[in-house]
Structure formats: C-alpha cells, structure tokens
Amino acid sequence: MTGLILAVEEPRASALARELELEGEHIIAIVSATSATTLLSGAQALVIPASRETLTPELVSACDRAGVRILALGGAESRLLQKFGIGPGLPVDATGWQISRALRTPTTIQDPARGDLPHRLIAVWGPHGSPGRSTVAMLLAVELARLGRRTALVDADTVAPSLALLLGLGDDAPGIAAACRRAELGGLDSAELTRLATVVPTSAGDLDVLPGINRPSRWPELSASRLTRALQTCREWTEETVIDVAGSFDADEEATYDVLGPRRHAATTAALNEADAIIAVASADPLGISRFLRDYAELRNLTTPTPVTVVVNQVRPGPLGLDARGQIRNTLDRFAGITDPLFLPHDQRAADAALLHARPMSDLTPRSALVAGARRLAAVLAPGAAPTTSSADSSRGSSRAARLLRSARAARGA
C-alpha cells in the first residue's frame, strides 16, 4: 500500500481516488497543486498534472527533501520532466491501475545524449496552389508530440508564412528570424531557442513554435547560411523539428545576372537540403496533381537521397469522381513512379473549426478523419514510438465495471 496525494482538479480527483482505492492504494489527501507542499510528510507519491503551472522548482525541491516520488500526468511534457529529473509521464487520462502499476515500476529517465532515438528535421513541402502544407505540418507536429517525441514547429515560408495566424500568435514573437540572426552571430543554442520559441499548449502537450516573418518583404533575413545554422541547432534542441517551407525552389534563379545576391527562395532550398525526411504534399484535384508532378522531379533532383513521403491532401470525390484515390494512385505511379502515397481526407468542418478558434484540429475535432490520417502519417514517420493507451496488460482488469464488481463481491464477503 502506497500513500498518495492527488493534486488533480475535481471531479477527476474523486473518480481517480476511488479507482486507486480499488487497486489497494491509500489516498492521504486531495489538494490543489499550490497547496501540495504542505502535506508531503508521510506520503510516498504525488500525482500531479505535468504543466509549467503545477510542476514548479519549489514543488520539486520540496518533494526531493521529503522523499516523495512525483507521478506526472501528461507524457507529452517530456522536456519539462527531463528538466526536473522526473521519470516518463503517464497519459493525461491515466486510470487508477496505470498509476498503481507505475508506482511499482522503477523510475528510468532517458538520457537524450545517448542517441537511442535520432533527432530529425522534417520538412513539409508542396507546390503552389494551397495544397495544405501548413495544415499538414501543424497536424504532424501535434501527433508526433502525442507519440512522446519532443517536437518543435518552425515556419520557414518566405512567401506566405501562416503558422502564427493559424495558431493565434501575435506578430511580435521573435521566431525563426531572431534565431537566424543569433545563429549568424554564433550565439544560438538550445537554451536560446527555448527563449525565442512560443509555447503553444495542445491536447498532446506543449508545442514549441518558432513563427515565421510577419511580412513577406523580410525574406532576406532567412538566408541559406543563417537558416542552415539555425536548423542544425534545432536538431540538437528537440527530437522532431517540423519545418513548413514555401513551394518554390531557387534552381531557376541560378542563371540570373546577380548570382551573389540574396535569393527569395533560398530558405526553402536550405531547409530541404538540411532535412532528414521530407513530406511532399499534393492537393487531390487535377490542377494540384499536375502542379505536383511538374515540381516533384525537381524536388528529387535537389534532395536525393533524402527519403520523401508523398501525402495527397483534401481527398474528396468531387473533382475526380467516385474513385478519387484510385485515379490519383494510378497517375502518380504512371508519371512519377510513386506507388505508396498516403491520403488525407477532406474535412471542411474540422478545418473551419480550427480557423475559427485558431487551434489545431486535433484539439477541437479529435475524431475527425483528417486527424486520424495525420496520426497514421506520424506513426509511419516514427514507427518505434507509440502512446501507452492499451489496457490489456492490467493484472486486475482495467474496466470500471470489473472494479465495481470486485468491490461488491468484497463487500458481500465481509
């Protein structure tokens, strides 16, 4: 039996207390996160949400002095947990049996310096015509964070930057332009990136965002050398860095008279050359597929042998008839040799809700088919990472009905 303090909001705290008592745990008190330090004496563990508001240095120090183990709810906050030396977090909706099992599991903290999981830069590219690059980049970043990967989102689009608008961020955020300036001066490191990034809370945990330039005329600030240095630092900063880039390359500008001057689309070329993986987004309509096929060959010439995952977005029967996926698959195979594209269905309702509330679709419409498609894309890119949601390995039965039945039988036996 372990003495627990629950610093969880009601009504979740009461329900969780009942589940833990059925697992044989002793609940000392249900308190708020701000008053948890006053009741640590005699407790063995503290259950608390993993957020910057609740997990403060004062609370962690008090728990260390009292010998109280911290069980954080919210596994996506891995950076915050690593900062305080806390073990991997539990799911935000963890049940009583999951918490009870975690109490009996030794704490293991993963050291990112070991390099067990590679840190990657993932560039999201697509041709002109609004195929949904920013939407795919945002969805992918959230779903990678849901898989427990520390994820950052970077807007390196020098033509039409939009991530700040889609996430409801202000124009005064320093973002990637400030990171590029610091990189040129040799003063950019992980701590500086953390300071420059804007933290966006999502259903998968906090997401670090480096917004883009607030005016397209500022494109010279994202030069190739500056952005390359900034992205190399981003690779060390987080496990996954998702980069939203523009659709144009610089290859057609090499023949201009001023080959030494700044180039508008050098940021796109630099990001694609530096990326460890590329997501190529096409729009599921005749014009979008035609534009994609024209630019895809140039993309492969520029980035070979970087792996490219082709994603067909906004799939619907309207522009292509009933068998839209079959027609697109045959066209891509015939003209580009692409045999395994991933399809993201069109969901206008989810897109409208995301624009209205300036939030990721995963937060507002978690059951959307588009969100499910992004989740499959994240699973393809990070096959070794998976959220702990299965309850099949509960030794006592995980369903609420089973626990209530055990409680009733115990009462009759008494």
Side-chain angles (χ1 to χ4, degrees), residues 113-200:
R114 295 181 313 175
D116 293 343
L117 295 175
H119 291 207
R120 297 182 300 177
L121 301 177
I122 302 175
V124 180
W125 170 87
H128 286 297
S130 300
R133 295 185 300 265
S134 299
T135 299
V136 172
M138 186 165 52
L139 283 171
L140 176 60
V142 173
E143 296 308 322
L144 286 173
R146 197 183 306 280
L147 291 177
R149 302 285 284 169
R150 300 197 311 275
T151 307
L153 184 58
V154 177
D155 192 345
D157 191 335
T158 55
V159 178
S162 57
L163 286 179
L165 297 175
L166 292 175
L167 292 171
L169 305 180
D171 286 343
D172 56 347
I176 186 62
C180 287
R181 290 193 296 271
R182 295 291 292 171
E184 186 179 36
L185 297 174
L188 188 65
D189 54 15
S190 296
E192 185 67 10
L193 282 171
T194 301
R195 186 185 69 83
L196 295 175
T198 301
V199 178
V200 176

Side-chain angles (χ1 to χ4, degrees), residues 94-395:
T95 58
W97 74 264
Q98 287 177 304
I99 295 176
S100 180
R101 185 180 63 176
L103 289 171
R104 292 161 176 77
T105 302
T107 303
T108 56
I109 304 174
Q110 182 182 0
D111 182 7
R114 295 181 313 175
D116 293 343
L117 295 175
H119 291 207
R120 297 182 300 177
L121 301 177
I122 302 175
V124 180
W125 170 87
H128 286 297
S130 300
R133 295 185 300 265
S134 299
T135 299
V136 172
M138 186 165 52
L139 283 171
L140 176 60
V142 173
E143 296 308 322
L144 286 173
R146 197 183 306 280
L147 291 177
R149 302 285 284 169
R150 300 197 311 275
T151 307
L153 184 58
V154 177
D155 192 345
D157 191 335
T158 55
V159 178
S162 57
L163 286 179
L165 297 175
L166 292 175
L167 292 171
L169 305 180
D171 286 343
D172 56 347
I176 186 62
C180 287
R181 290 193 296 271
R182 295 291 292 171
E184 186 179 36
L185 297 174
L188 188 65
D189 54 15
S190 296
E192 185 67 10
L193 282 171
T194 301
R195 186 185 69 83
L196 295 175
T198 301
V199 178
V200 176
T202 70
S203 60
D206 288 348
L207 195 66
D208 290 305
V209 180
L210 288 173
I213 51 180
N214 53 12
R215 294 187 306 277
S217 59
R218 294 177 56 191
W219 63 264
E221 298 181 34
L222 303 186
S223 65
S225 59
R226 284 179 169 185
L227 186 61
T228 299
R229 294 173 188 172
L231 293 179
Q232 289 172 351
T233 308
C234 286
R235 184 184 281 113
E236 302 172 359
W237 176 42
T238 57
E239 294 177 328
E240 305 284 0
T241 302
V242 181
I243 313 161
D244 182 19
V245 300
S248 298
F249 305 105
D250 265 330
D252 57 344
E253 298 183 5
E254 294 291 348
T256 59
Y257 67 94
D258 188 8
V259 295
L260 298 179
R263 293 175 294 172
R264 176 67 178 269
H265 309 300
T268 300
T269 306
L272 292 173
N273 286 329
E274 193 65 28
D276 303 295
I278 297 174
I279 307 298
V281 183
S283 179
D285 57 75
L287 182 59
I289 296 298
S290 176
R291 285 173 170 170
F292 177 83
L293 289 173
R294 278 201 302 259
D295 291 347
Y296 179 75
E298 187 175 347
L299 172 72
R300 294 310 294 145
N301 290 333
L302 179 68
T303 62
T304 302
T306 305
V308 176
T309 302
V310 176
V311 173
V312 182
N313 192 27
Q314 303 171 0
V315 178
R316 59 203 186 279
L320 295 170
L322 294 178
D323 188 18
R325 298 193 180 199
Q327 294 187 58
I328 293 173
R329 186 180 287 107
N330 292 335
T331 302
L332 294 178
D333 186 15
R334 178 181 177 184
F335 293 100
I338 301 170
T339 57
D340 54 349
L342 296 176
F343 294 94
L344 297 180
H346 181 64
D347 192 339
Q348 190 63 48
R349 182 177 179 182
D352 290 344
L355 288 174
L356 176 62
H357 298 282
R359 299 289 300 163
M361 295 182 194
S362 308
D363 295 359
L364 303 171
T365 54
R367 297 188 179 182
S368 166
L370 177 55
V371 175
R375 206 160 286 166
R376 291 192 295 270
L377 173 61
V380 170
L381 292 174
T388 307
T389 56
S390 175
S391 61
D393 57 347
S394 172
S395 59

